[in-house]
Amino acid sequence: MWEDKTEDVVEQCKIELPVLKEVKSKKISKSKSGPINLLIQGDNYHALSVLNYTHRKKIDVIYIDPPYNTGSKDFVFNDHYVDVNDSYRHSKWLSFIHKRIRLAKNLLKDTGVIFVSIDDNEMPQLKLLMDDPDLFGENNFIALLVWENKEGGGSSDSKHFKIKHEYILVYAKEKENLIVNKEKIPDEDAYTYSDEYEKKRGKHKLIKLNSASIQYSKSLDYPITAPDGTKIYPSFDHKQACWRWSKRKFDWGVENGYVRISKSKSGKWVVYTKQYLKVDNEGNKIERQRPPLGVISQFSSTMATKELEKIFHGKVFSYPKPYLLIKHLLSLVASKDCVILDFMAGTGTTGQATIELNAEDNGNRRFILCTNNENDICTKVCYPRISKVISGYKDFNGKLIKGIEANLRYFQTAFVGAEPNDKNKEALTRQATEMLCVREDTFEPIKGSKQIKIFKNDKHYTGILFDEDAVPALKKEILKLGGKWSVYIFSLGDDTFDEEFEDMKQKITVSPIPEVILRVYRRLFKT
Ligand SMILES: C[S@@+](CC[C@H](N)C(=O)[O-])C[C@H]1O[C@@H](n2cnc3c(N)ncnc32)[C@H](O)[C@@H]1O
């Protein structure tokens, strides 16, 4: 329980409804066949509300890195920094994060997953919040990952402990539906020995055949004959022990090259089994892999700062996350054509991670980034960063870094009156075009008149009708162009125009606007 604090941007939605307005001059089109990524500038409460209409159950992965509420000017609530002496600091943070995560959860597919970066300041509060059955519920808790964020010894600013880690809380929308990719084991280096089987089986490591740690069994205690005829027994240091393999398995191992008997430095015979990289102990082909580790230590905060300095030739933000860390998380859980959302995008790290991962594994992932423009973070850092990653840039040594083909559309949040009168409904309809294109992922304009607008992608068309008298004209277009259609028709009520499109039912879906949008907003804002 916490004291819910009213927030201006939330109250605003009772008098104004959020929509999207495209900043066309910031559009980037560098990939013909690639997906269209989105950057939305504005408060994420508004952006997430819009996405509740356009992207309900369409997101595979959410990653966020919210303000940690450290008390030192990192968390803004109602336009004021929350400081350590604010007795409601946790309540304000919980009010803030709860309202956003509640909206974000609706966007996840049933197979989806959310990662939330956090540190000691709010980790316990956040964990309990996420465990609430109305949010994700403890049944859907996946892991509390520890990220070692500092290289070397860690910071020495604490009197008691050197803290060099923070956390990433992981929840599934529905635990039984979440698939976490296994990792290739990174200790390939441990497989160092070569033999005549290397080509097929890979290199191998040696593991002693005798073990004091397995339960003694008489049948596993048999003599093995060394090359010079010496009998070798599993016991060592005069203690009873046995072999790990039965006599039958051992004979099979000798015959098939899975056993090595050699002299140790002290001149004693030792029996080893060979563990190959590419086959198991029965000779079956395997890829040695394991579930990803809960402690992540290969990427540091310093790396993240350097990544940004490489692009901007100087420091532009205090605590970005390394894109390699986000790339690592994305590679663990998602298919190669997933939709990724970061609604605390800051410098756009998640965008770069997505683009780089696609380039690495030929993926088709797309991202949606939302951030406000605190200290010009969106206009001066996030957008230019994504733009440079796509178009290429010179690093601080003057070296040309090649761009990676991708597409981006830039939106800002805008507003129309919330009172459900005819004037506002007409205004919302006029402003809704961009939201409809985002929802349908159709950005290529085919026709634009006062009465009809048509957009397409390579799979289907979106038709927007601003005047129902133009239904016959739109039907003509549908017959001419063919293919699948989503049609939106302006109506002051909730007419679904079934009769008018009866003869085309198979190929098109018809929805009344703005009613379909208002329905979502009424539920979210309880107006
Ligand atoms: C800790 S930073 C995220 C940094 C990011 N992971 C990176 O690597 O650059 C949190 C970001 O969330 C943004 N933010 C905070 N409150 C927001 C809000 N209500 N709406 C949109 N963005 C917000 C801030 O501008 C800040 O850039």
Side-chain angles (χ1 to χ4, degrees):
M1 288 186 71
W2 68 93
E3 178 150 323
D4 193 53
K5 291 285 169 193
T6 8
E7 209 184 322
D8 299 345
V9 292
V10 177
E11 294 303 298
Q12 187 185 351
C13 296
K14 293 184 181 148
I15 31 177
E16 292 185 316
L17 302 177
V19 291
L20 296 180
K21 196 95 226 92
E22 184 169 4
V23 184
K24 294 224 164 71
S25 59
K26 291 196 154 133
K27 176 177 124 183
I28 304 171
S29 294
K30 288 275 157 98
S31 165
K32 270 216 167 86
S33 56
I36 291 178
N37 302 294
L38 311 176
L39 170 56
I40 305 174
Q41 178 192 329
D43 193 283
N44 50 17
Y45 185 79
H46 299 142
L48 287 167
S49 302
V50 171
L51 292 173
N52 261 261
Y53 174 62
T54 60
H55 281 76
R56 199 179 164 78
K57 287 203 172 202
K58 286 190 191 164
I59 306 287
D60 298 271
V61 186
I62 298 178
Y63 169 77
I64 52 163
D65 175 17
Y68 287 175
N69 202 14
T70 57
S72 57
K73 295 206 166 175
D74 76 323
F75 173 40
V76 182
F77 191 80
N78 288 343
D79 287 336
H80 293 289
Y81 284 114
V82 176
D83 66 33
V84 258
N85 302 315
D86 188 330
S87 18
Y88 288 107
R89 66 185 268 236
H90 293 297
S91 288
K92 285 179 180 167
W93 192 86
L94 278 164
S95 300
F96 167 86
I97 204 75
H98 174 242
K99 292 194 174 79
R100 272 114 187 129
I101 292 183
R102 182 179 69 86
L103 292 181
K105 188 192 160 195
N106 299 332
L107 307 179
L108 276 181
K109 290 182 187 167
D110 293 343
T111 47
V113 63
I114 181 167
F115 295 97
V116 187
S117 277
I118 202 71
D119 77 356
D120 289 335
N121 286 287
E122 294 293 355
M123 194 280 282
Q125 285 74 267
L126 179 67
K127 171 81 172 59
L128 288 177
L129 180 81
M130 299 291 273
D131 280 344
D132 184 337
D134 284 341
L135 278 187
F136 284 84
E138 59 183 321
N139 293 341
N140 290 315
F141 169 73
I142 300 294
L144 175 64
L145 305 180
V146 173
W147 174 44
E148 269 191 53
N149 57 354
K150 295 196 176 81
E151 287 168 11
S155 82
S156 48
D157 48 8
S158 165
K159 222 165 59 178
H160 305 105
F161 288 91
K162 281 194 172 194
I163 301 300
K164 46 180 283 188
H165 68 274
E166 51 182 72
Y167 312 97
I168 302 167
L169 254 178
V170 191
Y171 282 76
K173 177 83 174 278
E174 289 177 10
K175 194 173 184 173
E176 65 277 14
N177 292 329
L178 177 68
I179 299 168
V180 175
N181 291 336
K182 298 256 190 307
E183 266 185 341
K184 271 195 177 170
I185 52 163
D187 64 342
E188 272 189 24
D189 298 354
Y191 294 79
T192 49
Y193 294 101
S194 298
D195 64 11
E196 67 270 34
Y197 303 103
E198 183 177 341
K199 234 178 165 181
K200 273 199 162 163
R201 301 179 187 171
K203 291 197 168 175
H204 67 273
K205 62 180 175 185
L206 297 173
I207 304 170
K208 276 188 183 161
L209 184 62
N210 55 344
S211 168
S213 66
I214 57 168
Q215 193 171 8
Y216 181 79
S217 151
K218 209 159 184 259
S219 66
L220 294 174
D221 185 1
Y222 52 87
I224 288 174
T225 312
D228 65 356
T230 318
K231 293 267 185 260
I232 316 167
Y233 292 89
S235 60
F236 43 80
D237 296 338
H238 306 292
K239 280 194 208 109
Q240 197 177 44
C242 57
W243 305 117
R244 288 181 291 108
W245 285 7
S246 67
K247 177 83 173 76
R248 231 175 110 183
K249 169 96 191 184
F250 172 78
D251 290 341
W252 172 89
V254 172
E255 214 158 282
N256 292 284
Y258 285 83
V259 170
R260 180 168 143 184
I261 305 174
S262 54
K263 261 193 179 159
S264 70
K265 275 187 198 142
S266 61
K268 267 176 91 179
W269 286 105
V270 186
V271 188
Y272 299 97
T273 58
K274 298 190 214 169
Q275 190 181 93
Y276 291 94
L277 186 62
K278 295 183 192 163
V279 293
D280 66 12
N281 281 340
E282 256 110 50
N284 305 310
K285 267 208 162 319
I286 48 160
E287 194 169 356
R288 294 203 180 268
Q289 51 182 18
R290 56 142 199 246
L293 293 182
V295 177
I296 303 171
S297 49
Q298 59 270 49
F299 324 103
S300 70
S301 268
T302 320
M303 252 164 138
T305 306
K306 282 189 189 146
E307 285 166 3
L308 270 184
E309 279 176 1
K310 185 172 161 189
I311 299 177
F312 289 100
H313 306 182
K315 189 174 170 180
V316 286
F317 189 68
S318 283
Y319 294 105
K321 291 290 180 284
Y323 82 79
L324 292 172
L325 170 70
I326 313 302
K327 189 167 140 248
H328 169 71
L329 298 177
L330 297 179
S331 71
L332 291 180
V333 290
S335 69
K336 285 186 185 178
D337 57 2
C338 62
V339 185
I340 297 148
L341 168 68
D342 182 343
F343 58 88
M344 302 272 185
T347 66
T349 305
T350 302
Q352 180 172 3
T354 308
I355 295 173
E356 304 263 359
L357 185 58
N358 277 344
E360 193 176 290
D361 66 4
N362 221 354
N364 216 24
R365 301 168 186 84
R366 64 182 68 196
F367 63 77
I368 303 174
L369 304 183
C370 312
T371 185
N372 59 16
N373 203 24
E374 212 176 297
N375 303 319
D376 294 331
I377 185 98
C378 190
T379 47
K380 298 259 170 75
V381 184
C382 186
Y383 174 75
R385 175 187 195 175
I386 301 297
S387 167
K388 282 168 191 261
V389 171
I390 294 176
S391 305
Y393 60 94
K394 276 193 179 152
D395 73 5
F396 41 58
N397 297 320
K399 190 177 150 205
L400 192 70
I401 307 295
K402 254 183 87 182
I404 304 171
E405 289 181 359
N407 305 311
L408 184 81
R409 296 267 180 158
Y410 190 118
F411 295 88
Q412 284 176 338
T413 50
F415 299 88
V416 292
E419 201 188 311
N421 54 34
D422 293 358
K423 192 173 139 256
N424 282 343
K425 284 186 178 177
E426 276 167 28
L428 179 54
T429 303
R430 254 180 282 117
Q431 303 279 331
T433 304
E434 275 124 319
M435 266 169 91
L436 298 178
C437 288
V438 164
R439 177 186 162 95
E440 297 291 339
D441 191 29
T442 50
F443 290 99
E444 192 183 323
I446 296 287
K447 186 183 168 88
S449 74
K450 228 180 142 207
Q451 291 178 315
I452 303 176
K453 283 193 174 133
I454 300 173
F455 299 86
K456 76 168 187 99
N457 64 16
D458 56 354
K459 293 193 189 71
H460 75 291
Y461 293 89
T462 304
I464 309 173
L465 207 62
F466 296 93
D467 179 353
E468 58 181 280
D469 287 347
V471 166
L474 178 66
K475 286 181 77 171
K476 234 166 129 187
E477 294 289 343
I478 295 176
L479 285 174
K480 195 173 88 191
L481 294 165
K484 291 214 159 189
W485 285 70
S486 298
V487 171
Y488 296 86
I489 305 181
F490 171 60
S491 160
L492 288 172
D494 55 4
D495 195 341
T496 49
F497 302 92
D498 292 340
E499 271 171 35
E500 284 85 342
F501 290 92
E502 179 64 31
D503 52 332
M504 303 182 157
K505 247 187 358 214
Q506 317 290 5
K507 285 168 48 175
I508 69 170
T509 60
V510 184
S511 320
I513 40 166
E515 180 54 27
V516 280
I517 303 173
L518 288 174
R519 229 174 264 161
V520 172
Y521 283 170
R522 275 197 292 269
R523 210 185 51 243
L524 297 185
F525 308 142
K526 306 248 167 24
T527 49

